[in-house]
């Protein structure tokens, strides 16, 4: 058996890059040797017996043989073997004799009856394919694997089974025949952990039953599986759903506003009553998410926090205020208890979810034990028990003083690996039970209160994949009967409890099955494992999961959503009948006149929203004319009669113009609409109206005639207008037709005119006077432009129609936006647009203008001296580039280049009015300093200009001229790296450019008194690793000052609201953080010069680092 790898894939999907497993398989029983037959020598010289296929088949009745005869004469791309029965289905081999885009034999196993499978069913099967060598069993070529066969994946195998040239070189042919054997083993009896239900008869019935469920899925918009999983979990908590229904949204409905509560109510209503998969588009739109948000996968626990905080805020002041808190809020009791003196400190804090350690813990109980583990404070780490007792040995720990009805547990599957310096996923086995008792982790008061402490598992949110990407799905028990369901985006099915619980412990899984007489076992890691668990308190299960009937839903919601469902059903029915109808667009003279009011090319552009109708494909053109005549009469307020209407079909020419080209004859009007149109785009007609008062209203159009269209250009006003259309003989010359054309264009009979032909956007050429129109290759649909004859050097900006057309081609309406000061201008800030003062103005420019001319034109439009004007290019997203345009470098660039970035084009420029001339500004170095006074709330960003070769002292001098200082107070200039103070800068040192993540902070320099120390302070939170945010600062710490006293002073300095500041704890950070108790002395904990104080926020939610190691947009709900 060859155990090398080869390319294994679905024959219908050649992009699959799954690799075959390397598994040693037996050759099968050797046939008995015939003593009279000479042995065959292998390449290595060993003697082997020829292959006895009959004996091989007799050794295992499940092995089937396929002989491919006359191999070299096969012309078909693929051939199939006879079908054989395995389990409840027929199977066959599929061969590609000439290979599949390579010079290799391709072999696949195919489930013959797979197309009859229910759409949600699959068959787990292991199989082996062996290409037999006629004389040397050791040269047999064999591969095996297993696969989930389904309607979407009917075959599986190897497209590079063996190079075609090796078939001949190694002697696999016997009289131009190949012998192949194969065996399939349906894994209904496979002894493996986490086996999915197979497509046995029982399993198929279960899948068919799942399709009839009232439970429905949610559509994935790109990477929103995490959102879908969380929404399903929350929806199936009846108490949460009822709270959402009861949120007041009448005002939103009346105002036509799409709010988050209304969008969530609609989504829940459709999940409950629609019977089909629902879209989350309206909800994500209400979130304020764009396409980038939809294709960025975030952490489901982070979304849970953000969404619940958003809903909790919107519930304030309504009858459901506090609903989120009542469902999910518990309380933690942090305590320190001295072991030798009667001193104890307790601090209670709320929680909405619990983050539990997975690494090093075998199960849920072990994680809780670690969570409440007692820490002994002794030796150098003794606890300061106040003035009376001083430093004492103590026990420090945490207990739960209250558990919520719905207990949300996050399993910390993603952690930072300091050795690899990256986030990694922990796939270790971690057991969680279907029922769990939390009594052991409760405070004494809670146990004495006799509250129920038993919890029942409600939902398991699973992450499948690794740190670089993956997929979320959920297992949920929607009712109290114990039945589990799997919610995987739009797919919903019943599952066994083992699939919902045991299969998501992580660790390893073992596959074992028998192939060709030998048991084969493979062990694989489980990359799909539980990431978030939701337990419900047993005493509250019935109340939490009770059904929410239609009568409990507010009437205004039910009425609105039922109407929307009816409209959706109407549209759905219309889509189902769409194959019977076609869209037809019609154009009349009024449309051409209206289109020409703006300087457009061509006669018309067929844009969305233009006049169109839906008509039966079998309708005749005559009946269509009668129907459209009625609708046009009502629309335009004048009479249209079918007899006075002749239809001309439009065509898109090779030069991208769209023109009428052929009339519909009287005989043609008896044909159906569909006979004139075979594509999916709408059929288009131009309606020519007859001016005759009596029949016949139209003469037949002969081959030598053409329908021409006439426009008029006025060089005095630089305007272009549509005039008329007329049927002319193409045999006549332009001089012969000029009287008619003058009349149509509104010129006097003797007025001298110039005639141009509009060919394309940039090709408007004079029409020659010699030769007929046919000689000039003119015909139906061509456009002639007439203008009065004027001098080319006259006072006209565009004296000729051709020059005006070029102007229109290159002109562009440019939006001018004021740019924020560079210090505040952060292109990565999601709220940048909200920070820009909306003073949007526009100016019409030409793409061919050079930068200096653009500056002059923009300055004129803004009434700014061009010497003080600086421009910045804009990204396609609308945000400005980091660096403004340099006047010298951009001098030779055209406006077209200024508006182009890679393959993207924008129509926006940012501008700034400088305090000094731009030339002087560009000769200096710009420095941005964040200035902090004694109150952080009043800090401001200051932009400074210093000469080249300046020192940090020069920066301070420039700063002193722009800020107000208290008398006698100096300034400290600090270097900040990633929101933490790196060092104080020496005024004599030369100014050097900042690195990424660095900035300057300056603050007032107040002298320290004896014993006081100046310590850096940073705002921090922990996302498996410590992260800083906000503006750091230096603070004076007094001798013997406790954490509580310092916090009080810092509260006054930061001027943060009490509600926000209460969430902060004081910590000292060296290599790791140590949160200080209120009575602890701060300076005693600062034992290193590198130590700093952290205002620690345990509730801050950060950009998810769990699912991807690449930079991501932070998860935000904007509305």
């Amino acid at each position: 058996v060859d155990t090398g790898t080869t390319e294994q894939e679905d024959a219908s999907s050649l992009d699959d890059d799954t690799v075959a497993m390397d598994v040693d398989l037996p050759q099968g029983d050797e046939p008995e040797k015939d003593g009279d037959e000479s042995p065959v020598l292998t390449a290595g010289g060993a003697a082997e017996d020829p292959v006895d296929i009959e004996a091989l088949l007799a050794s295992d009745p499940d092995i089937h043989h396929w002989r491919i005869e006359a191999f070299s004469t096969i012309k078909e791309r693929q051939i199939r073997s006879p079908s054989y029965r395995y389990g409840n289905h027929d199977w066959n081999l599929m061969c590609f004799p000439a290979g599949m885009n390579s010079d290799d034999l391709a072999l696949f196993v195919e489930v013959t009856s797979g197309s009859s499978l229910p759409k949600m069913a699959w068959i787990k099967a292991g199989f082996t394919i062996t290409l037999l060598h006629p004389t040397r069993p050791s040269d047999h070529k064999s591969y095996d694997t297993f696969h989930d066969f389904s309607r979407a994946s009917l075959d599986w195998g190897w497209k590079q089974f063996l190079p075609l040239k090796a078939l001949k070189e190694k002697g696999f042919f016997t009289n131009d025949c190949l012998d192949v054997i194969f065996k399939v083993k349906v894994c209904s009896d496979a002894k493996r952990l986490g086996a999915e239900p197979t497509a046995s008869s029982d399993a198929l019935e279960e899948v068919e039953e799942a399709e009839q469920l009232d439970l429905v899925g949610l559509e994935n918009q790109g990477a929103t599986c995490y959102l879908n999983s969380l929404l399903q979990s929350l929806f199936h908590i009846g108490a949460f759903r009822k709270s959402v229904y009861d949120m007041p949204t009448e005002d939103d409905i009346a105002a036509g506003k799409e709010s988050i509560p209304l969008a969530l109510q609609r989504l829940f209503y459709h999940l409950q009553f629609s019977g089909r998969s629902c879209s989350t588009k309206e909800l994500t739109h209400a979130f304020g998410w764009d396409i980038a948000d939809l294709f960025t996968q975030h952490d489901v626990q982070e979304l849970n926090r953000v969404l619940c905080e958003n809903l909790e805020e919107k519930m304030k002041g309504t009858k459901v205020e506090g609903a989120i808190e009542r469902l999910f809020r518990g309380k933690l009791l942090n305590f320190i208890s001295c072991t030798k003196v009667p001193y104890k400190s307790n601090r209670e804090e709320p929680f909405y979810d619990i983050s539990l350690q997975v690494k090093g813990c075998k199960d849920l109980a072990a994680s809780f034990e670690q969570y409440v583990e007692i820490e002994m404070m002794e030796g150098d780490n003794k606890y300061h028990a106040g003035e009376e007792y001083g430093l004492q040995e103590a026990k420090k720990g945490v207990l739960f003083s209250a558990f919520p009805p719905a207990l949300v547990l996050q399993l910390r599957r993603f952690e930072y690996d300091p050795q690899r310096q990256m986030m990694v996923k922990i796939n270790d086995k971690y057991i969680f039970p279907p029922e769990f008792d939390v009594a052991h982790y409760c405070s004494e008061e809670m146990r004495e209160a006799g509250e129920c402490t038993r919890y029942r598992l409600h939902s398991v949110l699973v992450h499948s994949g690794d740190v670089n990407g993956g997929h979320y799905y959920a297992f949920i028990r929607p009712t109290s009967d114990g039945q589990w369901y799997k919610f995987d985006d739009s797919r919903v099915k019943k599952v066994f409890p083992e699939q919902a619980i045991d299969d998501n412990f992580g660790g390893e899984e073992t596959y074992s099955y028998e192939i060709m007489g030998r048991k084969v076992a493979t062990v694989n890691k489980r990359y799909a494992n539980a990431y978030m668990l939701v337990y419900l308190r047993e005493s509250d299960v019935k109340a939490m999961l009770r059904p929410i009937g239609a009568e409990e839903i507010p009437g205004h919601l039910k009425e609105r959503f039922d109407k929307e469902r009816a409209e959706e059903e109407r549209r759905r029915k219309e889509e189902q009948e769409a194959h019977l109808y076609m869209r037809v667009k019609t154009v009349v003279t009024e449309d051409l006149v209206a289109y020409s009011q703006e300087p457009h090319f061509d006669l018309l552009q067929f844009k969305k929203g233009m006049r169109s109708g839906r008509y039966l494909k079998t309708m005749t053109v005559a009946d269509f004319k009668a129907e459209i005549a009625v609708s046009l009469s009502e629309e335009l307020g004048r009479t249209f009669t079918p007899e006075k209407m002749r239809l001309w079909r439009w065509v898109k020419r090779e030069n991208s113009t769209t023109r009428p080209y052929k009339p519909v004859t009287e005989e043609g009007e008896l044909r159906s609409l569909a006979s004139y149109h075979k594509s999916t785009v709408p059929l288009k007609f131009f309606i020519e109206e007859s001016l005759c008062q009596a029949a016949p209203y139209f003469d037949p159009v002969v081959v030598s005639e053409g329908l021409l269209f006439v426009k008029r250009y006025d060089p005095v006003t630089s305007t272009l207008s549509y005039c008329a259309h007329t049927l002319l003989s193409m045999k006549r010359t332009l001089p012969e037709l000029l009287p008619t054309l003058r009349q149509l264009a509104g010129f006097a009979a003797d007025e001298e005119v110039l005639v141009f032909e509009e060919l394309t956007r940039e090709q408007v050429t004079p029409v020659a006077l010699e030769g007929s129109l046919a000689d000039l290759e003119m015909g139906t649909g061509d456009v002639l432009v007439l203008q009065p004859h004027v001098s080319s050097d006259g006072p006209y900006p565009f004296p000729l129609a051709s020059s005006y057309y070029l102007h229109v081609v290159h002109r562009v309406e440019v939006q001018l936006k004021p740019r924020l000061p560079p210090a505040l201008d952060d292109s990565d800030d999601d709220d940048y647009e909200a920070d820009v003062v909306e003073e949007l103005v526009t100016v019409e420019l030409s793409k061919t203008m050079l930068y200096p001319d653009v500056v002059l034109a923009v300055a004129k439009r803004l009434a700014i001296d061009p010497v003080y004007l600086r421009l910045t290019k804009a990204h396609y997203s609308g945000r400005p580039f980091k660096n403004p345009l340099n006047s010298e470098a951009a001098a030779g660039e055209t406006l077209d280049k200024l508006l182009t970035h890679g393959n993207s084009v924008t129509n926006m420029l940012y501008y700034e009015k400088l305090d000094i001339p731009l030339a002087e500004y560009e000769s200096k170095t710009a420095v941005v300093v964040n200035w902090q006074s004694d109150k952080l709330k009043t800090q401001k960003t200051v932009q400074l200009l210093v000469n080249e070769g300046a020192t940090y002292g020069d920066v301070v001098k420039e700063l002193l001229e722009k800020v107000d200082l208290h008398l006698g107070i100096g300034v400290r200039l600090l270097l900040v790296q990633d929101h933490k103070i790196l060092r104080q800068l020496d005024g004599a040192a030369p100014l050097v450019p900042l690195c990424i993540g660095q900035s300057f902070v300056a603050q007032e320099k107040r002298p320290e008194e004896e014993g006081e120390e100046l310590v850096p302070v940073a705002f921090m939170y922990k996302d498996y690793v410590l992260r800083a945010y906000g503006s750091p600062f230096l603070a004076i710490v007094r001798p013997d000052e406790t954490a509580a006293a310092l916090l009080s002073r810092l509260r006054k300095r930061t001027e943060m609201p009490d509600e926000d500041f209460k969430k902060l704890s004081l910590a000292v950070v060296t290599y790791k953080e140590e949160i200080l108790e209120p009575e602890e002395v701060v300076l005693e904990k600062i034992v290193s010069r590198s130590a700093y104080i952290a205002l620690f926020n345990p509730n801050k939610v950060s950009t998810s680092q769990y699912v991807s190691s690449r930079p991501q947009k932070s998860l935000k709900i904007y509305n």
Side-chain angles (χ1 to χ4, degrees):
V1 178
D2 186 343
T3 60
T5 59
T6 189
E7 195 164 354
Q8 163 206 350
E9 50 187 301
D10 186 337
S12 62
S13 180
L14 301 186
D15 293 330
D16 198 311
D17 58 357
T18 306
V19 180
M21 297 169 53
D22 297 340
V23 180
D24 291 329
L25 292 179
Q27 293 287 332
D29 297 334
E30 289 187 359
E32 295 181 4
K33 297 181 180 179
D34 188 340
D36 296 332
E37 185 174 351
S38 301
V40 178
L41 293 180
T42 65
E48 294 190 61
D49 290 329
V51 176
D52 186 342
I53 296 178
E54 294 300 326
L56 184 61
L57 297 178
S59 68
D60 188 344
D62 288 334
I63 297 177
H64 291 286
H65 171 237
W66 179 30
R67 169 161 284 191
I68 306 175
E69 299 181 343
F71 186 88
S72 62
T73 64
I74 297 175
K75 302 298 183 184
E76 292 86 352
R77 183 172 182 266
Q78 64 185 38
I79 57 176
R80 287 178 168 83
S81 73
S83 295
Y84 303 98
R85 194 75 172 176
Y86 287 105
N88 297 315
H89 296 275
D90 294 325
W91 304 77
N92 62 267
L93 280 180
M94 181 167 54
C95 174
F96 291 77
M100 301 174 68
N101 304 323
S102 67
D103 295 329
D104 300 275
L105 179 71
L107 288 171
F108 297 84
V109 166
E110 181 180 41
V111 54
T112 313
S113 55
S115 58
S116 62
L117 287 172
K119 63 181 181 179
M120 296 172 64
W122 67 92
I123 307 169
K124 169 68 73 174
F127 61 89
T128 183
I129 304 175
T130 303
L131 180 63
L132 299 178
H133 194 283
T135 59
R136 295 190 299 273
S138 62
D139 281 350
H140 292 344
K141 190 72 173 179
S142 181
Y143 290 108
D144 77 285
T145 187
F146 53 86
H147 179 60
D148 290 335
F149 293 88
S150 66
R151 282 168 56 177
S153 182
L154 296 176
D155 55 78
W156 197 253
W158 296 267
K159 77 170 186 176
Q160 294 178 335
F161 195 91
L162 188 69
L164 293 173
K165 66 179 182 178
L167 295 176
K168 294 182 179 180
E169 293 175 354
K170 294 188 177 183
F172 278 89
F173 288 107
T174 302
N175 298 325
D176 202 23
C177 298
L178 284 179
D179 289 297
V180 185
I181 61 172
F182 77 105
K183 178 180 178 179
V184 177
K185 184 69 173 178
V186 177
C187 296
S188 58
D189 58 348
K191 303 300 183 184
R192 71 179 185 88
L193 295 175
E196 298 277 7
T198 62
S200 63
S201 58
D202 293 340
L204 290 182
E205 290 176 4
E206 184 143 319
V207 171
E208 289 167 354
E209 182 182 351
E211 293 179 345
Q212 306 301 322
L213 296 174
D214 292 333
L215 306 176
V216 297
L218 292 169
E219 297 170 2
N220 194 324
Q221 296 188 58
T224 58
C225 55
Y226 69 103
L227 171 66
N228 294 347
S229 301
L230 178 64
L231 290 174
Q232 291 283 14
S233 177
L234 295 175
F235 169 79
H236 287 104
I237 298 175
F240 180 87
R241 191 191 328 166
K242 183 66 168 67
S243 298
V244 169
Y245 282 148
D246 288 342
M247 294 180 72
T249 53
E250 296 91 333
D251 293 342
D252 295 337
I253 294 176
K257 176 185 175 184
E258 194 57 48
S259 63
I260 291 176
L262 180 59
L264 195 57
Q265 289 169 343
R266 179 184 290 107
L267 179 61
F268 280 7
Y269 189 85
H270 290 333
L271 281 173
Q272 187 169 348
F273 297 108
S274 71
R276 62 172 63 93
S277 296
C278 303
S279 171
T280 58
K281 289 182 179 178
E282 291 178 354
L283 180 62
T284 54
H285 179 73
F287 285 169
W289 289 2
D290 57 19
I291 191 69
D293 294 294
L294 299 178
F295 282 87
T296 301
Q297 190 181 92
H298 291 287
D299 175 60
V300 69
Q301 182 67 12
E302 181 181 356
L303 174 66
N304 182 49
R305 289 183 180 181
V306 173
L307 178 59
C308 287
E309 285 177 5
N310 186 281
L311 292 177
E312 189 174 25
E313 183 66 28
K314 289 178 169 56
M315 289 178 176
K316 289 181 178 179
T318 71
K319 66 178 183 179
V320 289
E321 181 175 357
I324 300 295
E325 179 179 324
R326 288 190 293 271
L327 286 173
F328 300 109
R329 182 177 174 179
K331 292 181 181 179
L332 279 171
L333 181 66
N334 296 280
F335 67 88
I336 297 178
S337 177
C338 295
T339 59
K340 297 180 179 179
V341 297
Y343 189 90
K344 188 174 183 179
S345 172
N346 292 334
R347 187 179 77 253
E348 200 171 56
E349 61 182 69
F351 70 88
Y352 286 80
D353 54 68
I354 305 174
S355 180
L356 297 176
Q357 185 76 21
V358 171
K359 191 173 183 179
C361 298
K362 67 176 183 178
D363 56 21
L364 196 61
S367 291
F368 267 96
E369 290 289 350
Q370 186 190 74
Y371 200 93
V372 300
E373 185 178 9
I374 298 294
E375 176 189 351
M376 293 303 301
M377 303 180 69
E378 52 193 6
D380 294 337
N381 192 36
K382 285 183 179 180
Y383 176 64
H384 190 276
E387 296 289 339
E388 183 177 357
Y389 299 110
L391 295 175
Q392 294 289 333
E393 293 182 357
K395 295 187 296 182
K396 179 180 179 181
V398 60
L399 289 172
F400 293 90
S401 57
F403 277 101
L407 180 60
V408 180
L409 305 178
Q410 179 209 4
L411 307 183
R412 292 170 57 177
R413 289 282 183 184
F414 297 92
E415 290 194 351
Y416 182 77
D417 186 338
Q419 293 183 341
R420 299 166 63 183
Q421 295 187 352
M422 62 181 295
M423 297 295 293
V424 295
K425 185 178 181 185
I426 310 299
N427 291 300
D428 298 350
K429 185 174 182 179
Y430 182 88
I431 299 173
F432 49 90
E435 283 85 27
F436 187 65
D437 195 334
V438 297
H440 182 63
Y441 319 108
C442 297
S443 65
E444 184 177 348
E445 291 79 4
M446 183 178 174
R447 286 195 293 267
E448 291 175 354
E451 295 183 18
C452 177
T453 58
R454 292 194 57 81
Y455 279 80
R456 178 182 175 188
L457 187 60
H458 170 259
S459 55
V460 180
L461 276 65
V462 177
H463 178 265
S464 173
D466 58 19
V467 74
N468 292 312
H471 178 61
Y472 282 100
Y473 50 90
F475 293 92
I476 302 173
R477 277 198 289 194
T479 60
S480 56
D481 64 2
Q483 176 59 55
W484 285 92
Y485 297 88
K486 181 180 180 180
F487 293 82
D488 188 352
D489 288 336
S490 59
R491 299 177 295 279
V492 182
K493 65 181 180 184
K494 273 187 178 181
V495 295
F496 300 114
E498 295 78 12
Q499 291 173 264
I501 302 175
D502 300 43
D503 282 7
N504 297 302
F505 288 161
E508 297 177 339
E509 57 185 340
T510 301
Y511 296 86
S512 60
Y513 46 89
E514 185 177 308
I515 291 184
M516 297 185 69
R518 175 175 290 185
K519 289 186 177 180
V520 178
T522 60
V523 178
N524 293 334
K525 274 192 174 182
R526 289 186 172 183
Y527 294 99
N529 35 56
Y531 181 64
M532 179 174 143
L533 308 173
V534 179
Y535 281 85
L536 301 182
R537 191 158 53 201
E538 278 192 355
S539 60
D540 297 315
V541 165
K542 289 188 178 180
M544 297 283 282
L545 299 183
R546 73 175 185 85
I548 306 300
E551 68 281 358
E552 296 184 72
I553 301 174
H556 72 280
L557 292 180
K558 191 173 183 301
E559 180 182 356
R560 177 185 177 92
F561 297 155
D562 284 344
K563 285 182 180 179
E564 292 176 350
R565 285 177 61 196
E567 177 62 21
E568 177 63 25
E569 289 299 327
R570 185 195 65 77
R571 287 197 298 266
R572 192 180 299 276
K573 183 180 179 181
E574 188 175 289
E575 291 174 1
Q576 292 173 348
E577 297 176 350
H579 65 285
L580 303 175
Y581 291 83
M582 60 184 295
R583 299 206 73 83
V584 182
K585 293 189 174 185
T586 53
V587 179
V588 295
T589 301
E590 283 89 339
D591 299 320
L592 303 183
V593 173
Y595 183 76
S596 70
Q597 299 302 313
E598 294 291 332
H600 292 300
F601 300 100
D602 216 345
L603 292 174
L604 198 68
Q605 288 185 359
F606 289 90
K607 297 181 178 180
K608 186 176 180 180
M610 291 189 61
R611 183 187 306 108
S612 67
R614 187 169 173 262
Y615 303 92
L616 280 169
K617 293 180 179 180
T618 55
M619 176 184 283
T620 65
V621 176
D623 292 339
F624 167 75
K625 279 177 58 177
E627 187 169 324
I628 196 65
V630 175
S631 62
L632 285 173
S633 299
E634 295 176 354
E635 176 190 346
L636 300 177
R638 61 185 182 88
T639 303
F640 284 79
T641 55
E643 297 79 10
K644 291 188 175 185
M645 298 163 55
R646 178 159 60 187
L647 305 183
W648 293 74
R649 294 163 59 194
W650 292 77
V651 65
K652 188 170 184 177
R653 297 180 173 181
E654 291 183 359
N655 61 8
S656 298
T657 59
T658 304
R659 307 285 174 82
Y661 82 109
K662 195 174 183 179
V664 178
T665 62
E666 291 184 5
E667 296 79 9
E669 291 185 358
L670 302 178
R671 292 166 51 189
S672 67
L673 290 172
S675 67
Y676 283 97
H677 199 59
K678 303 299 181 186
S679 68
T680 57
V681 296
L683 177 62
K684 306 176 187 70
F685 287 121
F686 171 69
I687 299 177
E688 179 191 7
E689 300 176 65
S690 175
L691 299 178
C692 298
Q693 300 302 316
Y697 297 107
F698 294 102
D699 293 326
V701 178
V702 298
V703 177
S704 61
E705 292 180 321
L707 186 67
L708 298 184
F709 295 82
V710 181
K711 294 182 180 181
R712 172 172 175 157
Y713 173 64
D714 186 352
V716 178
T717 58
S718 296
T719 54
L720 188 69
S721 57
Y722 174 80
C723 298
H725 54 270
T726 183
L727 193 66
L728 299 174
S729 171
M730 298 295 103
K731 295 181 179 181
R732 302 176 67 184
T733 64
L734 183 61
E736 294 172 343
L737 295 173
L738 270 179
T740 302
L741 296 176
R742 283 194 186 96
Q743 182 180 0
L744 292 173
F747 289 100
D750 57 347
E751 189 172 353
E752 186 177 0
V753 295
L754 300 176
V755 183
F756 297 84
E757 181 183 4
E758 181 186 310
L759 297 173
T760 66
R761 289 172 55 88
E762 299 184 15
Q763 192 176 1
V764 178
T765 59
V767 179
L769 298 178
E770 298 80 12
S772 66
L773 297 185
D775 294 336
L776 298 175
E777 300 182 349
M778 297 185 67
T780 294
D782 286 340
V783 178
L784 296 177
V785 181
L786 276 68
Q787 74 161 81
H789 188 282
V790 295
S791 173
S792 59
D793 57 356
Y796 313 112
F798 310 107
L800 298 178
S802 55
S803 61
Y804 173 74
Y805 271 78
L806 285 176
H807 160 70
V808 175
V809 167
H810 294 297
R811 74 174 182 174
V812 60
E813 196 83 5
V814 178
Q815 296 180 352
L816 303 175
K817 269 191 171 183
R819 181 174 181 173
L820 291 173
L824 305 177
D825 177 11
D826 185 357
S827 297
D828 298 325
D829 180 8
D830 294 328
D831 300 322
Y832 177 80
E833 292 294 336
D835 296 332
V836 176
V837 180
E838 287 299 332
E839 298 177 3
L840 185 66
V841 295
T842 60
V843 59
E844 184 179 299
L845 303 172
S846 173
K847 294 180 182 178
T848 59
M849 295 174 68
L850 293 176
Y851 168 80
D853 298 323
V854 172
V855 170
L856 293 175
V858 171
K860 182 178 180 181
R861 174 67 179 85
L862 298 172
I864 295 176
D865 188 337
V867 172
Y868 295 88
L869 180 64
R870 181 167 68 171
L871 301 180
T872 303
K873 295 171 64 172
H875 285 283
Y876 68 92
S877 63
R879 292 186 172 95
F881 276 61
K882 283 288 186 182
N883 298 319
L885 289 169
N886 182 277
S887 58
E888 184 176 347
E893 294 187 359
T894 63
L895 176 64
D896 189 33
K897 190 172 181 180
L898 298 180
L899 298 179
T900 304
H901 176 54
N903 295 326
S904 303
V905 179
T906 182
N907 67 334
M908 185 183 299
L909 289 174
Y910 281 84
Y911 70 88
E912 299 167 78
K913 182 181 179 182
L914 303 176
D915 296 330
I916 60 175
L918 178 59
E920 181 182 347
Y921 190 102
E922 292 177 341
S923 67
K924 294 178 177 289
T925 300
V927 179
V928 176
V929 178
N930 186 21
W931 167 246
Q932 297 177 350
S933 62
D934 55 342
K935 301 293 185 183
L936 289 183
K937 191 174 181 180
T938 58
Q939 64 183 345
K940 64 178 181 179
T941 302
V942 182
Q943 181 181 356
L944 307 173
L945 290 175
V946 295
N947 296 321
E948 292 187 12
T951 64
Y952 291 114
D954 296 328
V955 173
V956 172
K957 289 179 182 178
E958 290 289 333
L959 177 66
L960 292 174
E961 296 180 4
K962 295 199 172 186
V963 298
D964 296 327
L965 279 179
H966 295 85
L967 190 62
I969 299 298
V971 172
R972 287 188 179 93
L973 186 63
L974 309 172
L975 180 62
V976 172
Q977 173 79 47
D978 297 328
H979 306 284
K980 293 178 289 187
I981 294 174
L982 201 59
R983 64 178 181 273
Q984 183 173 339
L985 297 170
D986 182 5
L991 176 66
V992 296
L994 293 174
C995 298
I996 295 175
Q998 291 185 343
S999 60
F1000 292 125
V1001 169
Q1003 67 178 49
E1004 296 179 350
K1005 183 178 182 180
R1006 295 181 180 274
E1008 305 98 67
E1009 297 179 5
E1010 184 178 354
E1012 295 181 338
E1013 290 191 24
L1014 198 64
V1015 183
V1017 181
F1019 293 91
M1020 305 201 76
Y1021 65 98
K1022 191 169 186 180
D1023 187 6
Y1024 298 128
V1025 293
L1026 283 174
R1027 304 182 192 278
Y1029 67 98
S1031 298
F1033 57 95
L1034 291 175
I1036 295 175
V1037 181
R1038 297 165 182 166
D1040 300 325
E1041 187 169 27
T1042 63
L1046 180 57
L1047 268 174
S1048 177
R1049 286 202 299 115
L1050 295 181
R1051 156 71 184 91
K1052 296 176 182 178
R1053 181 167 180 184
T1054 59
E1055 294 186 323
M1056 290 176 63
D1058 289 337
E1059 183 178 350
D1060 294 335
F1061 199 82
K1062 284 179 182 178
K1063 301 176 182 178
L1064 302 181
S1065 302
L1066 197 71
V1068 172
V1069 181
T1070 49
Y1071 299 107
K1072 64 178 183 179
E1073 80 283 1
E1074 179 185 357
I1075 297 180
L1076 304 184
E1077 294 300 322
E1079 299 83 1
E1080 292 187 277
V1081 177
V1082 177
L1083 288 182
E1084 291 179 359
K1085 296 296 183 180
I1086 300 177
V1087 296
S1088 169
R1089 294 187 63 185
S1090 62
Y1092 58 91
I1093 293 172
L1095 290 173
F1096 192 74
N1097 186 350
N1099 299 317
K1100 181 173 173 58
V1101 177
S1102 70
T1103 303
S1104 172
Q1105 300 294 325
Y1106 312 130
V1107 185
S1108 175
S1109 60
R1110 298 183 295 272
Q1112 299 182 1
K1113 284 183 67 176
S1114 59
L1115 193 156
K1116 290 185 180 181
I1117 293 178
Y1118 299 94
N1119 298 321

